[in-house]
Amino acid sequence: MVTINVCVGSACHLKGSYKIIEKFEKLIKDYNVEDKVELKGSFCLGHCVEAVSTEIYGEIFSINEDNIEMFFKEKVLGGRK
Ligand code: FES
């Protein structure tokens, strides 16, 4: 099981955390990995400038609607490097 933490702190919230969470939910369904991927909201991850901050395997990434699918395929489905 891998956990994706999406920041819902104020800076990230303003930049669309909830849209990103919805997109992740859809990707998890589309790729049929509900039993492998867990999605959580998190408090400020300390990278507000990079909103929407998303943490996986201890690394923080800046996720938007353009890079979310690539991120999902590479980092989530691709697993830990
Ligand atoms: S509010 Fe998201 S990293 Fe600070």
Side-chain angles (χ1 to χ4, degrees):
M1 183 69 108
V2 53
T3 304
I4 309 171
N5 282 306
V6 180
C7 177
V8 292
S10 47
C12 294
H13 174 77
L14 286 176
K15 291 203 180 168
S17 297
Y18 286 98
K19 270 228 163 87
I20 294 299
I21 288 173
E22 277 174 13
K23 262 239 144 130
F24 272 130
E25 281 173 342
K26 186 172 182 317
L27 285 165
I28 289 169
K29 254 202 198 130
D30 289 352
Y31 284 91
N32 237 316
V33 288
E34 286 104 324
D35 54 338
K36 295 193 183 73
V37 181
E38 175 183 46
L39 191 59
K40 282 191 177 167
S42 113
F43 292 116
C44 178
L45 293 168
H47 291 250
C48 309
V49 183
E50 292 163 35
V52 174
S53 300
T54 299
E55 184 266 328
I56 185 167
Y57 299 125
E59 259 187 280
I60 294 175
F61 297 89
S62 174
I63 302 302
N64 55 49
E65 290 190 62
D66 295 328
N67 68 9
I68 186 167
E69 188 142 1
M70 204 174 74
F71 169 85
F72 192 82
K73 283 186 194 159
E74 274 180 20
K75 300 289 175 184
V76 183
L77 300 177
R80 194 195 294 262
K81 293 277 175 321

